[in-house]
Amino acid sequence: MFLTTGNAMEALTDAVIPALRGDATLSALVTGVYTKVPQAQRTSHPYVRVSDPLMTDFGSMGHGGGHVQFAVDVWHRKPHTVQAVLARVAVVLERRELALVGFTVVGGSLHCVEARTFDEPDPDKPEESLIHGHQTWEALVDEA
């Protein structure tokens, strides 16, 4: 049983979103940064979604935290746009020290462990495809 003060996955993603939204260069490249893409209206591409948090190697001896992973995804019709967005996300996040509520990112441990792009059907236009860029990020998070 852990004596954590909160959820390390939520703490990390809650810190990542404002870091990405606060970068003027990234904001100029995308229409928004989301954890859930708004469904009430069609969201224009490109946009960034931060999702799929996963925590492994939980803390020990009553301390919370562990290895936290999350995904960053972007979609657009042009491959170079997707690559530019992924590159900027990497500049903003790689080895960054983030302020988390109730937790700390162990110094310099936030890093991208995988990046790839691939085609996928556009659900709004089935006759066309989108370029989907995907990054998997990881950090070691300890309870503060």
Side-chain angles (χ1 to χ4, degrees), residues 17-33 46 48 85 88 92:
I17 296 295
L20 293 174
R21 286 180 179 162
D23 184 73
T25 302
L26 181 62
S27 293
L29 293 172
V30 299
T31 60
V33 177
V48 171
V85 172
R88 189 62 196 174
V92 173

Side-chain angles (χ1 to χ4, degrees), residues 9 12-13 16 20 49-54 68-73 89 93 98 110-111 113 134-139:
M9 295 182 307
L12 183 58
T13 55
V16 165
L20 293 174
R49 184 184 73 186
V50 177
S51 64
D52 302 329
L54 168 71
V68 177
Q69 289 187 336
F70 61 91
V72 171
D73 294 282
V89 168
L93 295 181
L98 295 171
L110 179 61
H111 66 284
V113 295
H134 174 85
Q135 292 175 328
T136 301
W137 287 83
E138 179 180 83

